[in-house]
Amino acid sequence: MKKALSLIEVLISIIIITVVIGALIKIKQNNLFIIEKSDVSKLNQAYISLYALNYQISDNRNKNLAIDEQLLLRDDELKKQTKSTNINIKDKMLDTKEVENTPFSFKPIESLYSIKNSIKKKFYTIKIDK
Protein backbone atom coordinates (compact mmCIF):
# COMPACT_ATOMS: atom_id res chain seq x y z
CA MET A 1 0.00 0.00 0.00
CA LYS A 2 1.36 3.33 -1.11
CA LYS A 3 1.26 6.12 1.52
CA ALA A 4 2.96 9.01 -0.29
CA LEU A 5 2.81 10.70 -3.69
CA SER A 6 5.75 10.41 -6.02
CA LEU A 7 7.50 13.46 -7.42
CA ILE A 8 6.10 12.84 -10.91
CA GLU A 9 2.51 12.76 -9.60
CA VAL A 10 3.05 16.08 -7.81
CA LEU A 11 4.58 17.69 -10.90
CA ILE A 12 1.73 16.48 -13.14
CA SER A 13 -0.88 17.83 -10.72
CA ILE A 14 0.92 21.21 -10.56
CA ILE A 15 1.01 21.38 -14.40
CA ILE A 16 -2.72 20.56 -14.63
CA ILE A 17 -3.58 23.20 -12.01
CA THR A 18 -1.39 25.78 -13.83
CA VAL A 19 -3.09 25.10 -17.18
CA VAL A 20 -6.57 25.38 -15.63
CA ILE A 21 -5.73 28.65 -13.84
CA GLY A 22 -4.19 30.08 -17.04
CA ALA A 23 -7.32 29.18 -19.01
CA LEU A 24 -9.57 30.80 -16.40
CA ILE A 25 -7.51 34.02 -16.45
CA LYS A 26 -7.70 34.15 -20.27
CA ILE A 27 -11.49 33.64 -20.18
CA LYS A 28 -11.84 36.44 -17.63
CA GLN A 29 -9.74 38.83 -19.77
CA ASN A 30 -11.85 38.04 -22.85
CA ASN A 31 -15.07 38.64 -20.93
CA LEU A 32 -13.81 41.99 -19.59
CA PHE A 33 -12.82 43.06 -23.12
CA ILE A 34 -16.24 42.11 -24.50
CA ILE A 35 -18.01 43.97 -21.68
CA GLU A 36 -15.91 47.09 -22.24
CA LYS A 37 -16.50 46.97 -25.98
CA SER A 38 -20.26 46.62 -25.49
CA ASP A 39 -20.27 49.57 -23.04
CA VAL A 40 -18.49 51.76 -25.60
CA SER A 41 -20.95 50.61 -28.27
CA LYS A 42 -23.95 51.47 -26.08
CA LEU A 43 -22.47 54.87 -25.27
CA ASN A 44 -21.88 55.67 -28.95
CA GLN A 45 -25.43 54.59 -29.82
CA ALA A 46 -26.71 56.88 -27.07
CA TYR A 47 -24.71 59.78 -28.56
CA ILE A 48 -26.21 59.09 -31.97
CA SER A 49 -29.72 58.98 -30.53
CA LEU A 50 -29.10 62.19 -28.60
CA TYR A 51 -27.96 63.96 -31.73
CA ALA A 52 -30.75 62.50 -33.89
CA LEU A 53 -33.37 63.77 -31.43
CA ASN A 54 -32.05 67.29 -32.07
CA TYR A 55 -32.54 66.96 -35.82
CA GLN A 56 -33.57 70.59 -36.37
CA ILE A 57 -30.49 72.08 -34.69
CA SER A 58 -28.03 71.59 -37.51
CA ASP A 59 -28.06 72.76 -41.09
CA ASN A 60 -24.72 70.97 -41.52
CA ARG A 61 -25.84 67.73 -43.08
CA ASN A 62 -23.63 65.26 -44.99
CA LYS A 63 -20.46 65.96 -43.02
CA ASN A 64 -18.58 65.19 -39.80
CA LEU A 65 -19.76 67.09 -36.75
CA ALA A 66 -18.39 67.25 -33.20
CA ILE A 67 -21.11 66.45 -30.67
CA ASP A 68 -20.00 68.96 -28.06
CA GLU A 69 -20.10 71.82 -30.59
CA GLN A 70 -23.57 71.03 -31.92
CA LEU A 71 -25.50 70.24 -28.73
CA LEU A 72 -25.99 72.48 -25.73
CA LEU A 73 -24.74 70.25 -22.93
CA ARG A 74 -24.98 71.51 -19.37
CA ASP A 75 -23.28 68.55 -17.70
CA ASP A 76 -19.48 69.04 -17.50
CA GLU A 77 -18.81 65.28 -17.34
CA LEU A 78 -20.86 64.70 -20.49
CA LYS A 79 -19.00 67.55 -22.21
CA LYS A 80 -15.67 65.88 -21.42
CA GLN A 81 -16.85 62.53 -22.76
CA THR A 82 -18.21 63.97 -26.00
CA LYS A 83 -15.32 66.35 -26.67
CA SER A 84 -13.45 63.97 -28.97
CA THR A 85 -16.51 62.26 -30.46
CA ASN A 86 -17.48 63.09 -34.03
CA ILE A 87 -20.64 61.97 -35.76
CA ASN A 88 -20.74 61.47 -39.50
CA ILE A 89 -24.17 62.30 -40.92
CA LYS A 90 -25.31 61.46 -44.43
CA ASP A 91 -28.78 62.36 -45.67
CA LYS A 92 -30.25 60.70 -48.69
CA MET A 93 -33.50 61.77 -50.32
CA LEU A 94 -35.58 58.76 -51.30
CA ASP A 95 -38.21 58.68 -54.04
CA THR A 96 -41.09 61.09 -53.49
CA LYS A 97 -44.40 59.32 -53.03
CA GLU A 98 -47.63 60.91 -54.16
CA VAL A 99 -50.92 59.87 -52.63
CA GLU A 100 -53.67 59.36 -55.17
CA ASN A 101 -56.64 61.76 -55.11
CA THR A 102 -54.94 64.05 -52.57
CA PRO A 103 -52.73 67.12 -52.95
CA PHE A 104 -50.10 65.64 -50.61
CA SER A 105 -46.73 64.21 -51.47
CA PHE A 106 -44.33 62.48 -49.10
CA LYS A 107 -40.56 62.96 -49.23
CA PRO A 108 -38.78 60.28 -47.21
CA ILE A 109 -35.26 61.13 -46.05
CA GLU A 110 -32.85 58.45 -44.91
CA SER A 111 -30.32 59.78 -42.39
CA LEU A 112 -27.31 57.61 -41.60
CA TYR A 113 -25.49 58.51 -38.39
CA SER A 114 -22.14 56.84 -37.70
CA ILE A 115 -19.31 57.16 -35.20
CA LYS A 116 -15.80 56.01 -36.16
CA ASN A 117 -17.25 53.78 -38.90
CA SER A 118 -18.18 51.21 -36.27
CA ILE A 119 -21.58 52.24 -34.93
CA LYS A 120 -24.21 53.06 -37.53
CA LYS A 121 -27.86 53.94 -37.15
CA LYS A 122 -30.43 54.82 -39.76
CA PHE A 123 -33.31 57.16 -39.11
CA TYR A 124 -36.09 57.98 -41.52
CA THR A 125 -37.88 61.32 -41.66
CA ILE A 126 -40.92 61.98 -43.78
CA LYS A 127 -41.68 65.48 -45.02
CA ILE A 128 -45.23 66.10 -46.16
CA ASP A 129 -45.75 68.70 -48.89
CA LYS A 130 -48.94 70.02 -50.44
Side-chain angles (χ1 to χ4, degrees):
M1 195 184 225
K2 194 173 175 184
K3 293 186 178 184
L5 297 174
S6 69
L7 181 60
I8 293 180
E9 291 172 330
V10 171
L11 289 176
I12 291 174
S13 65
I14 289 174
I15 291 171
I16 291 172
I17 290 172
T18 304
V19 169
V20 169
I21 289 173
L24 290 175
I25 289 173
K26 181 69 174 168
I27 289 171
K28 182 180 177 186
Q29 287 175 343
N30 288 344
N31 287 344
L32 291 175
F33 174 74
I34 290 170
I35 289 170
E36 183 180 331
K37 190 174 178 180
S38 103
D39 288 345
V40 169
S41 173
K42 286 180 188 177
L43 187 62
N44 285 339
Q45 287 183 8
Y47 290 154
I48 288 174
S49 297
L50 178 67
Y51 195 85
L53 285 174
N54 293 300
Y55 181 83
Q56 304 298 335
I57 287 177
S58 175
D59 295 332
N60 302 324
R61 307 303 280 181
N62 297 323
K63 58 169 47 174
N64 280 328
L65 300 171
I67 294 177
D68 62 333
E69 294 173 2
Q70 300 298 319
L71 298 176
L72 301 173
L73 301 174
R74 294 186 183 113
D75 185 10
D76 290 335
E77 186 66 31
L78 190 56
K79 283 182 184 179
K80 288 178 187 175
Q81 289 177 354
T82 60
K83 189 168 186 94
S84 63
T85 305
N86 290 332
I87 292 182
N88 186 349
I89 303 171
K90 292 184 181 175
D91 284 343
K92 179 180 167 186
M93 294 290 286
L94 302 176
D95 294 335
T96 301
K97 306 290 182 192
E98 306 243 352
V99 180
E100 294 179 12
N101 301 326
T102 64
F104 297 110
S105 65
F106 299 95
K107 293 181 184 175
I109 301 169
E110 177 186 87
S111 299
L112 177 67
Y113 294 80
S114 62
I115 295 179
K116 300 176 188 171
N117 292 327
S118 62
I119 304 296
K120 295 181 180 179
K121 267 191 167 182
K122 285 185 183 178
F123 291 92
Y124 292 93
T125 305
I126 299 174
K127 290 188 176 182
I128 303 172
D129 293 330
K130 284 188 173 184

